[in-house]
Amino acid sequence: MSLLPADGSRLLIDGKLVAGGDGVFATVNPATEQVIGYAADACGADMDAAITAARTAFDDTEWASDPALRARCLLQLRDALQANIEELRAITVAEAGAPTMLTSGPQLAGPIADLGYCAELAENYSWQTDLGVAAPMGISTHRMLRKEPVGVVGAITPWNFPHQINFAKLGPALAAGNTVVLKPAPDTPWCAAAVGAIIAEQTDIPAGVVNIVTSADHGLGARLTADPRVDLISFTGSTQTGRSVMAAAAPTLKKTFLELGGKSAFIVLDDANIAGACAVAAFSVCVHAGQGCAITTRLLVPRAAYDEAVQATAATLAGIAPGDPADPKTVCGPLISRRQRDRVLRYIDSALADGGRIVTGGGIPAGRERGWFVEPTLIAGVPHSARVAREEIFGPVLVIIPYDGDDDAIRLANDSPYGLSGSVWGADPERLRHVTAGVRTGTLSVNGGVWYSADVPFGGYKQSGIGREMGVAGFEEYLETKVIATAHGH
Ligand code: NAD
């Protein structure tokens, strides 16, 4: 790895690549359980130094007020990442267990290209709007509305789509003129450290504008959240941690932007091609071993077509063998850690305790005892109140539930603390409109439509989060609004 020194990756603080105050920690390949190398382990003082650097870069440099510089730096970063894409791909596959095929899309190439969209926003956004003259309280006044960066952004990210999530925060936050302290997940430090090395060595991004602090200690995320010098926390992770982040941000009343968990429904209407739609649902839950917040994990099918649906879903799941993510044909790789693998297996056990049955899968695949693999699994026969139908499992596990009529399908889809995404399949446009209007989620796919794109805002209703990432809406999360009212004639 030319980007990462053999003795351990470095932190990026104030433009310099530095060792971690707590030494190094191992990063492990989830497909082989082998240590692939070591990452800098930051201590509290490192986090403090990163926040100081970000604060100084925001307060004392031109970064916040020079959108042309920001656009140029973002394009330069995009091109430098692109020039290093093969090394980044190897790190992503080995460290996140991401199937190679996904690195041509949302696991790597997609988010790199999306930095171009952020550069365009920096260049073309209407930073100033003339609200014209009015005479509130009898004083003739000219009003100007200005958009300004929020300040120092603390970005805290998970491991499942490390580049997608890191760049969906870095891109718009930087385009808007903020400075950033990024704290990636302890499971994928190299994905972030490699980006840090590229920023330091191959771009003109000024010192302190981006700081990347890898650590084995989740506590550094809490420290970043509580620090009064940080103006906004942009967090992606579990709903449970999201609650802690919101609480820890409260004493300093900083803006919190939360992208959290999901338990999205895949609704098959009775005029759809039942077997075809169920095959898509089965395939989707296997992608990256189900480790995606927006993956549809509740399959809602018409009661009259239940047996056909169970059969078609199980047949597709049984045909997808979990495999080596380095193999370009693999769809379903390993889970990120032993802890996650065991958690998924416990969920499957809980379905049996709740009266369910495992139609296919349910355990560790034969011949894959090394690495943290789980068989694609279909659970049937549980009530919708069962834990496997309510809680986020984050594995290749699908729960199939029958419904009676379109309104019942909507009711079940909405009977969830989450509201992140979903999918609806059917033939009649009027019925599809009724269902998409009724389901309360941030994104919905109809008959396989794809919402994922740089210009499309993504985020959740209810306990799936607060705010939107990507698109203009995602960019504006990183902006403040200032109004300047000048007495007319002055
Ligand atoms: P996690 O919540 O355990 O950790 C996420 C990040 O938060 C990590 O960097 C972690 O170190 C940090 N952290 C942990 N405790 C913290 C605290 N008290 N204060 C501040 N930071 C803290 O999540 P994970 O297991 O890494 O990722 C999986 C979860 O992420 C799933 O629930 C998934 O749905 C969610 N996710 C959501 C989206 C989305 O956009 N909605 C996208 C991807 C993943």
Side-chain angles (χ1 to χ4, degrees):
M1 302 278 173
S2 63
L3 289 168
L4 303 174
D7 61 342
S9 63
R10 303 287 193 256
L11 312 174
L12 173 58
I13 298 178
D14 202 14
K16 294 180 217 49
L17 296 171
V18 297
D22 278 350
V24 292
F25 64 107
T27 184
V28 176
N29 183 329
T32 62
E33 303 184 27
Q34 278 166 349
V35 171
I36 54 175
Y38 295 88
D41 198 0
C43 62
D46 294 325
M47 181 55 88
D48 284 349
I51 298 169
T52 302
R55 191 73 253 170
T56 305
F58 185 79
D59 291 338
D60 298 346
T61 76
E62 299 299 299
W63 182 256
S65 57
D66 189 348
L69 169 67
R70 304 200 296 264
R72 185 174 70 77
C73 284
L74 281 166
L75 292 178
Q76 193 185 35
L77 174 60
R78 179 196 63 184
D79 295 347
L81 292 164
Q82 188 58 42
N84 289 278
I85 198 163
E86 290 315 322
E87 186 168 347
L88 290 168
R89 193 188 317 279
I91 292 171
T92 311
V93 171
E95 188 179 59
T100 302
M101 69 163 72
L102 293 182
T103 60
S104 309
Q107 278 287 16
L108 184 62
I112 291 176
D114 290 352
L115 292 175
Y117 174 81
C118 297
E120 271 175 42
L121 278 176
E123 198 91 77
N124 301 327
Y125 187 69
S126 298
W127 296 99
Q128 194 152 287
T129 308
D130 191 335
L131 297 179
V133 176
M137 294 180 250
I139 300 172
S140 177
T141 304
H142 182 210
R143 293 90 35 89
M144 289 296 286
L145 183 150
R146 284 216 332 234
K147 290 291 196 180
E148 298 184 346
V150 173
V152 173
V153 170
I156 303 175
T157 58
W159 42 263
N160 58 332
F161 281 76
H163 298 295
Q164 199 285 324
I165 298 167
N166 289 345
F167 291 135
K169 298 194 186 306
L170 281 174
L174 296 177
N178 302 278
T179 59
V180 181
V181 177
L182 170 65
K183 198 219 73 71
D187 312 83
T188 47
W190 271 16
C191 286
V195 173
I198 290 171
I199 289 174
E201 292 168 348
Q202 301 179 36
T203 77
D204 299 327
I205 294 176
V209 165
V210 180
N211 305 274
I212 299 182
V213 183
T214 57
S215 171
D217 178 9
H218 294 298
L220 287 200
R223 194 174 179 124
L224 180 62
T225 309
D227 195 295
R229 296 169 295 168
V230 176
D231 299 293
L232 181 154
I233 291 291
S234 178
F235 172 82
T236 299
S238 63
T239 293
Q240 194 183 349
T241 310
R243 286 189 195 104
S244 309
V245 166
M246 207 168 168
T252 49
L253 282 173
K254 52 176 65 79
K255 274 181 103 171
T256 48
F257 166 53
L258 306 174
E259 294 287 354
L260 309 176
K263 187 74 188 179
S264 299
F266 190 112
I267 302 174
V268 183
L269 299 180
D270 62 12
D271 60 355
N273 171 343
I274 303 279
C278 288
V280 174
F283 181 84
S284 307
V285 85
C286 295
V287 173
H288 194 24
Q291 300 169 108
C293 52
I295 289 177
T296 42
T297 51
R298 290 181 292 147
L299 177 56
L300 307 182
V301 299
R303 193 175 299 278
Y306 184 71
D307 291 344
E308 180 192 359
V310 168
Q311 208 174 27
T313 310
T316 301
L317 288 171
I320 298 174
D324 179 0
D327 180 338
K329 293 192 292 300
T330 295
V331 171
C332 184
L335 298 181
I336 190 71
S337 60
R338 181 183 300 278
R339 182 173 145 264
Q340 283 296 118
R341 197 262 323 262
D342 292 349
R343 186 169 168 270
V344 171
L345 294 175
R346 280 198 303 276
Y347 268 114
I348 295 171
D349 286 346
S350 83
L352 296 173
D354 283 333
R357 87 190 150 92
I358 309 301
V359 185
T360 186
I364 294 170
R368 293 261 170 227
E369 289 76 15
R370 203 167 177 74
W372 298 306
F373 295 91
V374 171
E375 289 175 307
T377 298
L378 180 63
I379 295 170
V382 285
H384 198 250
S385 56
R387 283 182 62 207
V388 287
R390 292 196 73 74
E391 297 177 18
E392 185 177 52
I393 298 176
F394 236 53
V397 180
L398 192 54
V399 181
I400 188 164
I401 309 261
Y403 68 80
D404 299 293
D406 295 1
D407 286 336
D408 194 38
I410 296 170
R411 181 189 66 78
L412 284 171
N414 289 338
D415 180 20
S416 168
Y418 297 111
L420 192 53
S421 191
S423 191
V424 188
W425 288 64
D428 177 0
E430 203 39 59
R431 287 175 64 194
L432 287 168
R433 257 196 298 279
H434 178 66
V435 175
T436 53
V439 175
R440 293 181 50 74
T441 65
T443 49
L444 264 177
S445 160
V446 178
N447 290 332
V450 178
W451 42 258
Y452 175 71
S453 171
D455 61 338
V456 172
F458 171 73
Y461 284 34
K462 301 193 267 182
Q463 294 185 30
S464 287
I466 299 175
R468 291 294 177 271
E469 197 142 73
M470 303 174 70
V472 176
F475 172 75
E476 289 180 334
E477 298 282 355
Y478 296 96
L479 291 173
E480 281 286 8
T481 299
K482 177 186 278 178
V483 170
I484 300 168
T486 307
H488 201 45
H490 291 271

